[in-house]
Amino acid sequence: MSMSEESKQQRHKERQQKVKENVDKKIANAQVEKGLLLIITGNGKGKSTSGFGTVARASDTAKSVQ
């Protein structure tokens, strides 16, 4: 490899490291737990089934169901 290609690779590596640090900061700041409210409406069947399925999945993953 020539010097210019090595320096390009080095600069690229440094830029990517900065990008990774910024992404890691955003991920660390986004670790706030929030609640979720689902409103299921409409005519016909399926609303209760959907609600019970959501509760079953939430309880299976140890989420709080109120």
Side-chain angles (χ1 to χ4, degrees):
M1 269 189 236
S2 68
M3 276 304 263
S4 65
E5 285 190 32
E6 288 178 8
S7 65
K8 283 183 183 179
Q9 287 182 353
Q10 182 63 27
R11 285 193 315 241
H12 176 74
K13 189 174 183 179
E14 290 169 1
R15 282 193 310 265
Q16 291 306 106
Q17 183 62 33
K18 287 181 185 178
V19 169
K20 183 183 182 322
E21 289 171 1
N22 287 335
V23 169
D24 289 345
K25 279 184 200 176
K26 288 180 182 180
I27 290 172
N29 290 335
Q31 298 300 318
V32 177
E33 289 193 30
K34 296 180 181 179
L36 178 67
L37 174 66
L38 295 176
I39 300 175
I40 304 167
T41 63
N43 297 329
K45 298 179 180 179
K47 294 178 291 295
S48 295
T49 304
S50 175
F52 293 133
T54 301
V55 168
R57 285 193 309 274
S59 64
D60 186 42
T61 59
K63 302 285 184 192
S64 173
V65 178
Q66 298 177 353

